[in-house]
Amino acid sequence: MRNDHYDFIIIGSGMGGGTVAYALRESGARILLLERGDYLPQETQNWQVEAVFAQNRYKTTEQWIDAGSGDAFKPGVHYYVGGNTKVYGACLPRFRSEDFEALEHEGGTAPAWPISYEELQPYYALAERLFFVHGEAGEDPCEPRRARPYPFPALPQEPTIAALCDKLRQQGLRPYSLPIAVDWREGGRCIRCMTCDGFPCKLHAKGDAEICLVQPALRQDSVELWTNTQALRILTDASGKRATAVEVERKGAKQTLHGDRIIVACGAVNSAALLLRSANSAHPNGLANSSDMLGRNYMMHNNTALTAIDPRQTNPTVFQKTVGINDYYFGDDDFPFPMGNIQALGKLQAGMLSAAVPGLPKSLLRGMARRSIDWWVMSEDLPDPENRVTLGANGELRVHWQPNNRMAHRELARRAARMMRATGYPLVFTQTLGIETNSHQCGTARFGDEPATSVLDSFCKAHELDNLYVVDSSFFPSSTAMNPALTICAQALRVADHLLGKELLA
């Protein structure tokens, strides 16, 4: 066998690619995992607000183009072993069972998925165990059926948050414990610090794809990782039915790596771009794109950051990201359409405000941060074929995105502000985020049963190729209003069982 030939080449080491590498690790197959970045260093700056938020030390320096305005922007993506999970908030919820069905919104219809929640449910359970998720079944008012409890009990609420939850219950709301992936097990590494959500973990105590997936996979001699290696194109045979190789750039030189099966997991924008760059005579519009759906239906959630302040009291909470509100997920009596999810953010610090609102006196920002409770308000971004990823004349990434379903999001933000005022926080500030806040990007290679309207089948295999798979959030037909990482992992585990010819979990 040629030295550059592998049974599986996996492009991307984040939640999707890392999961497949982990799940295949004991198969005996020769596996190559490619990562365009390097390992994120454990260093003092991991926990420095100035370094992480003002200097953007860990974000990519590349720029994408907002096709609507023509302006360049720096996307919220991180190229490291483990991908964006190195800095995510480690909130790992399951999608609702209704999210897998056609769901009417005020702004349109979220389409049905080609698989049901029940098909994914056992893989959700396996993913929760892999990431030592802490939670409490039965609290979330719209949670789907569970066959077993969470692997670990919910993280305890600190006194200010516990008192807030009591006041929310007095309003008739049902706050629930967020499912969080940190190593708070007996003897675990987590110290419940203020530098978790949005920061790299200096202690490797966050349940991220490097720690939970890639490192265990690399303990097998048959699994190899190449860092600082960017995939440029995927090559096919003359018929276009089989992917045969990946052209990469490594250490300033190009080389071609051959594989029996190619797994793409670069993130929804970069995966679409890679397949578009891979156009050839058999696939003139991009690899696996005879449907013209590749790159289309780009989604990234409607997001608003909400900060509520009571000038009369401080909030000494350290680890704040422990509570969520789902009472409005499917609407209420006054707005009978889905609105979305409200979840606590990691505790706001003054330096974060300085980066978001430059020009205000630091003493004022410090005072605000000491007195705030902070939330992330998230609503569904509906698929629109005109919201898409394309390549410019020079190969630059162009993102065409116009937000939709905004009325539902405004209604949710109003309810979030109202609930905080009713608990005694009279000052409420909101900031709705734009195209650059794309950590939940999805949808650019949707899966489905009909090749004319989708790119992938229900096991994330390209309809037009026998051995090409896409296992990041590109496959999502809808964005739902939940963090996507656990669903990426669960489907990747399901795909891996399919690749191994194993009986699917039930």
Side-chain angles (χ1 to χ4, degrees):
M1 181 177 290
R2 294 166 52 173
N3 213 23
D4 63 353
H5 190 104
Y6 297 85
D7 297 302
F8 294 94
I9 297 177
I10 303 171
I11 308 170
S13 66
M15 188 62 91
T19 298
V20 175
Y22 174 88
L24 299 178
R25 73 195 187 285
E26 295 178 346
S27 66
R30 190 172 183 222
I31 300 166
L32 177 62
L33 184 59
L34 302 177
E35 172 53 53
R36 68 183 290 176
D38 208 331
Y39 285 96
L40 195 152
Q42 286 179 275
E43 57 185 3
T44 302
Q45 292 91 334
N46 291 166
W47 287 351
Q48 290 180 348
V49 174
E50 175 73 15
V52 174
F53 287 89
Q55 299 171 7
N56 292 319
R57 182 177 181 84
Y58 303 107
K59 284 175 66 173
T60 180
T61 58
E62 74 178 358
Q63 294 188 328
W64 298 351
I65 304 298
D66 177 348
S69 67
D71 296 333
F73 69 96
K74 291 184 179 180
V77 295
H78 302 78
Y79 298 135
Y80 294 100
V81 177
N84 285 320
T85 67
K86 294 303 295 182
V87 300
Y88 76 157
C91 182
L92 293 181
R94 301 182 181 197
F95 287 176
R96 319 289 90 174
S97 57
E98 295 90 339
D99 286 327
F100 292 82
E101 304 165 0
L103 191 59
E104 292 301 318
H105 291 254
E106 189 280 331
T109 303
W113 290 39
I115 61 173
S116 68
Y117 169 78
E118 289 301 327
E119 290 174 86
L120 212 56
Q121 194 274 138
Y123 293 101
Y124 272 135
L126 177 56
E128 288 168 345
R129 293 198 298 274
L130 285 175
F131 284 87
F132 35 83
V133 176
H134 295 67
E136 182 62 46
E139 290 184 342
D140 183 343
C142 63
E143 70 180 354
R145 185 190 76 84
R146 301 182 60 92
R148 62 186 68 186
Y150 281 97
F152 296 93
L155 298 176
Q157 309 283 7
E158 295 186 42
T160 298
I161 302 303
L164 173 70
C165 289
D166 287 340
K167 293 179 181 178
L168 294 174
R169 292 186 189 98
Q170 291 169 14
Q171 298 178 38
L173 297 173
R174 293 162 291 177
Y176 69 97
S177 300
L178 287 175
I180 299 293
V182 292
D183 192 4
W184 187 247
R185 303 169 292 181
E186 184 176 352
R189 291 169 288 197
C190 180
I191 60 173
R192 286 173 56 98
C193 65
M194 293 183 74
T195 49
C196 185
D197 192 0
F199 294 83
C201 183
K202 187 176 170 183
L203 303 179
H204 282 178
K206 186 185 297 188
D208 66 47
E210 179 203 348
I211 302 305
C212 296
L213 303 170
V214 175
Q215 287 189 8
L218 291 177
R219 295 183 192 123
Q220 300 291 327
D221 292 339
S222 58
V223 182
E224 190 175 350
L225 169 66
W226 287 15
T227 59
N228 299 301
T229 304
Q230 184 171 2
L232 304 177
R233 297 173 62 234
I234 296 172
L235 310 179
T236 73
D237 62 11
S239 72
K241 290 293 292 180
R242 290 191 63 81
T244 58
V246 182
E247 182 183 282
V248 303
E249 183 172 344
R250 189 185 193 210
K251 299 178 180 178
K254 292 182 180 180
Q255 59 188 109
T256 301
L257 306 168
H258 298 266
D260 291 334
R261 285 185 251 195
I262 311 297
I263 315 292
V264 178
C266 312
V269 169
N270 279 302
S271 287
L274 174 60
L275 297 180
L276 289 168
R277 284 199 306 268
S278 302
N280 58 28
S281 58
H283 300 273
N285 298 318
L287 214 55
N289 193 28
S290 65
S291 64
D292 194 33
M293 286 291 107
L294 179 63
R296 294 188 183 272
N297 299 298
Y298 171 75
M299 298 167 282
M300 47 170 268
H301 283 150
N302 291 299
N303 297 307
T304 290
L306 184 148
T307 296
I309 296 173
D310 182 354
R312 301 160 297 184
Q313 61 177 320
T314 60
N315 176 11
T317 302
V318 176
F319 196 98
Q320 182 174 261
K321 196 177 182 70
T322 54
V323 61
I325 302 292
N326 268 340
D327 294 83
Y328 308 114
Y329 196 87
F330 292 117
D332 62 15
D333 291 341
D334 295 324
F335 189 83
F337 296 100
M339 284 183 268
N341 169 259
I342 305 167
Q343 61 185 245
L345 282 167
K347 185 66 194 80
L348 187 68
Q349 299 182 56
M352 301 177 189
L353 281 171
S354 301
V357 191
L360 290 181
K362 290 185 178 180
S363 59
L364 174 61
L365 297 176
R366 283 194 296 270
M368 292 172 66
R370 284 199 303 267
R371 292 165 173 80
S372 71
I373 290 181
D374 319 290
W375 298 91
W376 194 253
V377 181
M378 184 164 54
S379 303
E380 186 153 355
D381 183 25
L382 296 171
D384 179 345
E386 297 308 312
N387 283 345
R388 61 187 302 199
V389 177
T390 61
L391 299 177
N394 297 316
E396 69 272 16
L397 279 167
R398 298 178 62 84
V399 179
H400 308 245
W401 182 71
Q402 287 294 322
N404 59 45
N405 204 30
R406 285 300 219 197
M407 181 179 290
H409 187 63
R410 287 193 294 270
E411 292 292 332
L412 183 62
R414 288 191 189 105
R415 283 158 177 76
R418 185 173 64 203
M419 79 178 189
M420 290 308 296
R421 291 191 182 100
T423 60
Y425 286 77
L427 304 178
V428 177
F429 303 92
T430 60
Q431 181 182 11
T432 298
L433 289 308
I435 194 171
E436 72 287 343
T437 307
N438 54 357
S439 53
H440 293 176
Q441 57 180 274
C442 60
T444 56
R446 59 160 61 179
F447 70 167
D449 295 326
E450 296 297 329
T453 56
S454 58
V455 178
L456 311 170
D457 69 14
S458 64
F459 288 104
C460 290
K461 185 188 76 68
H463 288 300
E464 300 168 47
L465 290 98
D466 297 332
N467 63 338
L468 177 68
Y469 295 76
V470 183
V471 294
D472 54 34
S473 61
S474 301
F475 74 84
F476 286 23
S478 63
S479 67
T480 81
M482 285 291 184
N483 312 55
L486 192 74
T487 300
I488 298 170
C489 180
Q491 172 67 352
L493 291 168
R494 179 175 175 269
V495 169
D497 274 358
H498 174 72
L499 290 169
L500 293 171
K502 295 172 63 175
E503 184 176 350
L504 299 182
L505 298 178

